Amino acid sequence: MNRPMGITIIGYFYILGAMVLFLTLGSEFDIGINVRFGVPNFSETLIRITIGLFSLIMAYGYLALSKWGYWTMICYSVLFGVISLTIVDSYKSQPFIGNAVFSMIVVIYTFRKRKYFLKSEASNSIKMV
């Protein structure tokens, strides 16, 4: 089954994001990634590594058109979108609005392409029998 180009782009975007998180370990920013994810009391490095690894695993499942990849992407995007909207009020920062909009686009697009994830599960169970 062919994977839609949008799913490929979103999956690769998350892989790229994970690589950027790993490459910027030790760098300091005005607003840390721990604050962006709503956990300011946790170590910046720990959050970068955790989110980077999680993003790689999520992208793998999403690109493989797995059911768990679908649900993980939906849940992650909703959570990150809500966190971004919450932080907009505190920091009055444009990137957080962009993060929220991107998260909304990912949720809507992924939901509209849900049949690819459901077909993938059905075809995998048939092959295993």
Side-chain angles (χ1 to χ4, degrees):
M1 173 180 7
N2 291 334
R3 178 176 52 223
M5 185 178 292
I7 289 174
T8 302
I9 291 169
I10 291 168
Y12 286 152
F13 180 78
Y14 278 96
I15 291 171
L16 176 65
M19 294 298 121
V20 169
L21 284 174
F22 295 138
L23 291 173
T24 58
L25 280 172
S27 301
E28 296 211 13
F29 298 93
D30 291 339
I31 302 170
I33 197 78
N34 55 343
V35 173
R36 293 177 195 208
F37 277 88
V39 287
N41 297 327
F42 284 85
S43 161
E44 173 81 13
T45 302
L46 176 65
I47 297 301
R48 282 181 179 276
I49 292 170
T50 302
I51 296 300
L53 290 174
F54 182 81
S55 292
L56 288 175
I57 294 166
M58 179 178 63
Y60 170 79
Y62 190 72
L63 290 169
L65 299 175
S66 70
K67 194 173 188 178
W68 66 265
Y70 169 82
W71 283 110
T72 305
M73 184 63 76
I74 293 285
C75 293
Y76 176 87
S77 295
V78 168
L79 177 66
F80 190 54
V82 169
I83 290 170
S84 295
L85 286 175
T86 303
I87 293 175
V88 165
D89 188 45
S90 302
Y91 291 95
K92 309 287 189 242
S93 180
Q94 193 75 23
F96 295 115
I97 294 171
N99 289 343
V101 170
F102 178 74
S103 293
M104 197 172 5
I105 290 168
V106 169
V107 168
I108 292 167
Y109 181 81
T110 301
F111 181 75
R112 292 193 67 208
K113 300 298 180 179
R114 68 188 175 278
K115 67 182 177 187
Y116 290 92
F117 297 93
L118 299 175
K119 284 182 182 179
S120 174
E121 291 294 317
S123 66
N124 286 341
S125 64
I126 292 170
K127 289 178 186 176
M128 292 175 64
V129 173

